[in-house]
Amino acid sequence: MKESKKKISGAVVFKYLICFLMPMTLALFAYTQLDNDSWFVLAEGRHIVQSGVYKTDVLSMHEGLNITVQNYGFAAVFYLIFSWFGPAGLYLGMIVLNFLVCFLLYKIYLLVSEKNINLSLLFMILTDGMLISMAFVTTRAQMVSYVFFLILIYILERYIREKKTKGLLFIPLISVLQINLHASLWPMLFLVMGVYVIDGIVSDYKVKPIIIAGIGAGIVGFLNPYGLKMMTITVTSYVGGSLSFINEMKPFDLVEGTRKILYMVIVAVLVLCFYGDKKEIKVRYVLMFFGFLALGLNTIKGLSQFILVMLLPVIPAYKEFEFKSIWKPRVRERLRIGAVAFLVSLFSVRLFEVLKKIDDYPDEPMKLAVDVLDEKIREDDRTNVRVYSGFDDGGYLEFRGYRPYLDPRAEVFLKINNGKEDIIDEWLELRNGDLKKQEFLGKYDFDYLVVRGEEKLMEPESEKYEMVFEDGEGGIKTRVYEKTKT
């Protein structure tokens, strides 16, 4: 009898190992470098750790810009991890957070399916696989937000089943952590709670405790260095200017490239719900499915929350489904052992390979370009020189100690947030040709220009600047121009 239990226990362990290693290994092949936003986040975190939280921008060349560092807590932790363990530490942090996402998805699906383990594991793999394929698993604060988002759903699902309010006490704690680590996704918590309140009105559980917990979550949201500005940064950034040029802020095109896969998944979910047990599909799952789908179609950035909830309507409709194996017990055991050995080996080798090669710069040409600046500018003078950079590239210059014209912190360069001017609009006018290049160069009198890719508009035509660096091999074509002494 004891021997039988050991075998069963071993089979279960192997099954969990296989199911969790599959998406974790996929992430190692899909993502092999630090996200481009990592550089300005590291610069933010360095300043916060060394000098404290700031309310006037200290990273760009512009003076007097009011700022709300909506991810200041995450930036500080991000920088500390980098200073202790380098880029490999940040990458490992992403892997750990992705594991937590997988674990929480599994726990939620286990509740919704009434302990259908196989179904829960399968849907966990599918959900995290979609996050990876859509490039949402990355070294950014959104990974922490996914964890909080899923913890909230788990707490609410537990409350509905157990009718105990004790777990709801954690919701204000989630709120205060979210607002101080990644405020831009703080409103998502209230969208989720609102869905459960609506569902409770038409169902048989009390919504008053959820409302009280939500009020508490809203009140503790003020416990941040920037007050109300931190809580409204998402709204002001969306209404304050045109950010549609940013890839993640563009409307989602379901028939573009690999996104066709997501389109097929959406269709599959709707078809499965139609043919499944409709009585088991709860209002809250339907509301989250269509609500977050609408949000995701509006901006690609909002699509990640939809992916996290998109399979919820299907699970209860098929909670009685059982997977039947076509293999004999002995064959199943050998297949499990082989699969575990293969995945553990593949995961270990690939992780070592990625950690060994991961760089602390975006690409070789950009690193060499900034090296050229370092040779020409003393370290003490780097914050005083005026350096032009486009939207995508300023973060790395800030990481290296310079204060460029622009960086990927889009919300910082909107007048509604900084209280001074719409710098984003100015740059877009330059890029579109509505603002003359010489007029722009005359206004700022840059000491150096870092021009990347196809940004030909910034290539100076006069003798005021001379090119001191050019490289396009193994990365994006990069040029550096220096203002001549004449």
Side-chain angles (χ1 to χ4, degrees):
M1 192 71 178
K2 290 181 180 179
E3 185 178 352
S4 176
K5 284 185 178 180
K6 285 183 179 179
K7 286 184 179 179
I8 294 173
S9 176
V12 171
V13 170
F14 281 177
K15 178 168 64 176
Y16 279 98
L17 275 173
I18 292 169
C19 291
F20 276 89
L21 279 173
M22 285 175 65
M24 303 294 288
T25 305
L26 177 61
L28 296 180
F29 284 91
Y31 193 76
T32 58
Q33 61 184 21
L34 300 185
D35 185 86
N36 189 56
D37 284 5
S38 299
W39 311 116
F40 77 75
V41 175
L42 286 170
E44 288 176 331
R46 179 175 59 207
H47 192 279
I48 291 167
V49 170
Q50 295 175 354
S51 305
V53 176
Y54 52 95
K55 298 185 178 180
T56 302
D57 184 37
V58 296
L59 298 186
S60 74
M61 59 177 276
H62 306 282
E63 299 293 338
L65 298 185
N66 297 328
I67 189 173
T68 301
V69 187
Q70 53 88 19
N71 62 335
Y72 83 94
F74 176 81
V77 175
F78 202 67
Y79 172 71
L80 288 174
I81 293 173
F82 181 84
S83 62
W84 294 333
F85 306 106
L90 299 180
Y91 191 88
L92 282 174
M94 178 196 74
I95 298 298
V96 171
L97 288 172
N98 191 41
F99 171 79
L100 290 175
V101 169
C102 290
F103 177 74
L104 289 166
L105 284 169
Y106 168 69
K107 296 293 288 185
I108 292 169
Y109 294 160
L110 206 59
L111 283 176
V112 176
S113 67
E114 297 183 7
K115 298 185 178 180
N116 189 326
I117 294 175
N118 292 333
L119 188 68
S120 301
L121 288 171
L122 174 63
F123 279 22
M124 175 271 289
I125 294 171
L126 291 174
T127 304
D128 195 69
M130 289 301 301
L131 280 177
I132 294 169
S133 65
M134 296 292 113
F136 291 121
V137 174
T138 182
T139 53
R140 294 177 67 169
Q142 64 196 42
M143 294 296 296
V144 175
S145 295
Y146 297 158
V147 172
F148 292 144
F149 183 83
L150 293 172
I151 290 176
L152 176 61
I153 292 176
Y154 179 73
I155 289 173
L156 293 171
E157 289 293 328
R158 284 285 297 268
Y159 164 71
I160 292 171
R161 284 158 181 79
E162 299 177 358
K163 303 296 190 295
K164 296 179 181 179
T165 59
K166 186 176 180 180
L168 299 179
L169 297 175
F170 288 97
I171 293 179
L173 175 61
I174 294 172
S175 173
V176 75
L177 289 173
Q178 180 74 65
I179 196 72
N180 286 282
L181 289 171
H182 193 207
S184 66
L185 290 183
W186 182 72
M188 294 295 176
L189 303 179
F190 298 90
L191 291 179
V192 172
M193 284 186 281
V195 166
Y196 278 82
V197 169
I198 295 172
D199 179 65
I201 294 173
V202 299
S203 302
D204 59 349
Y205 60 90
K206 296 179 181 179
V207 300
K208 185 177 179 181
I210 299 177
I211 295 174
I212 293 173
I215 293 173
I219 293 173
V220 299
F222 284 95
L223 300 178
N224 71 80
Y226 300 95
L228 185 62
K229 289 183 178 180
M230 193 78 140
M231 303 160 74
T232 58
I233 186 69
T234 301
V235 177
T236 56
S237 297
Y238 274 103
V239 303
S242 175
L243 301 180
S244 59
F245 71 94
I246 307 173
N247 287 333
E248 65 183 33
M249 302 302 292
K250 294 178 180 178
F252 185 76
D253 184 357
L254 286 173
V255 296
E256 180 183 333
T258 57
R259 297 169 187 171
K260 294 177 183 178
I261 298 174
L262 184 58
Y263 171 76
M264 290 186 287
V265 173
I266 293 172
V267 173
V269 169
L270 296 175
V271 172
L272 287 171
C273 287
F274 181 79
Y275 287 103
D277 188 353
K278 301 180 187 63
K279 294 180 181 178
E280 296 294 334
I281 302 176
K282 308 300 181 184
V283 172
R284 59 184 179 271
Y285 304 145
V286 176
L287 288 176
M288 282 196 285
F289 180 90
F290 287 105
F292 284 109
L293 175 59
L295 184 64
L297 293 177
N298 185 49
T299 63
I300 295 175
K301 184 177 181 180
L303 197 68
S304 54
Q305 280 73 29
F306 167 70
I307 292 175
L308 291 171
V309 301
M310 69 180 178
L311 296 180
L312 285 177
V314 180
I315 299 174
Y318 292 87
K319 64 183 180 181
E320 302 297 333
F321 184 81
E322 294 184 6
F323 293 86
K324 295 182 180 180
S325 177
I326 61 175
W327 309 102
K328 293 181 179 180
R330 184 174 295 180
V331 176
R332 285 204 306 270
E333 184 177 356
R334 290 175 178 175
L335 287 173
R336 287 194 195 101
I337 294 173
V340 168
F342 173 75
L343 285 172
V344 169
S345 301
L346 182 61
F347 179 84
S348 303
V349 171
R350 181 60 180 174
L351 180 61
F352 177 77
E353 183 180 59
V354 173
L355 292 180
K356 186 178 179 180
K357 293 183 178 180
I358 196 165
D359 297 317
D360 59 353
Y361 52 84
D363 56 59
E364 191 71 21
M366 187 64 180
K367 175 184 179 299
L368 294 175
V370 184
D371 287 345
V372 169
L373 294 181
D374 287 352
E375 292 173 1
K376 293 179 172 292
I377 306 166
R378 293 189 308 173
E379 187 173 354
D380 294 342
D381 294 333
R382 289 173 189 170
T383 58
N384 298 321
V385 298
R386 303 173 73 82
V387 181
Y388 169 82
S389 70
F391 180 80
D392 290 326
D393 309 307
Y396 182 66
L397 284 163
E398 291 166 346
F399 170 69
R400 293 284 293 267
Y402 296 92
R403 298 182 64 181
Y405 167 75
L406 198 60
D407 63 60
R409 300 172 301 157
E411 72 280 358
V412 175
F413 302 101
L414 297 175
K415 185 176 181 179
I416 194 171
N417 290 328
N418 64 42
K420 190 172 182 180
E421 60 180 314
D422 281 314
I423 300 165
I424 283 286
D425 287 347
E426 178 184 59
W427 180 72
L428 289 174
E429 289 177 3
L430 174 69
R431 194 177 72 164
N432 297 333
D434 296 329
L435 174 61
K436 299 301 181 183
K437 178 173 55 179
Q438 296 307 324
E439 179 183 345
F440 175 77
L441 294 175
K443 175 182 177 180
Y444 288 104
D445 192 28
F446 295 105
D447 298 301
Y448 293 90
L449 311 174
V450 178
V451 182
R452 296 267 282 168
E454 300 302 319
E455 199 176 10
K456 295 180 179 179
L457 285 172
M458 280 310 302
E459 293 181 353
E461 298 170 352
S462 67
E463 295 181 356
K464 188 175 181 180
Y465 291 91
E466 63 176 347
M467 186 168 65
V468 293
F469 173 82
E470 182 176 21
D471 189 348
E473 295 183 5
I476 302 173
K477 184 178 180 181
T478 304
R479 299 167 298 284
V480 176
Y481 295 90
E482 180 181 16
K483 183 170 66 175
T484 61
K485 294 180 180 180
T486 58

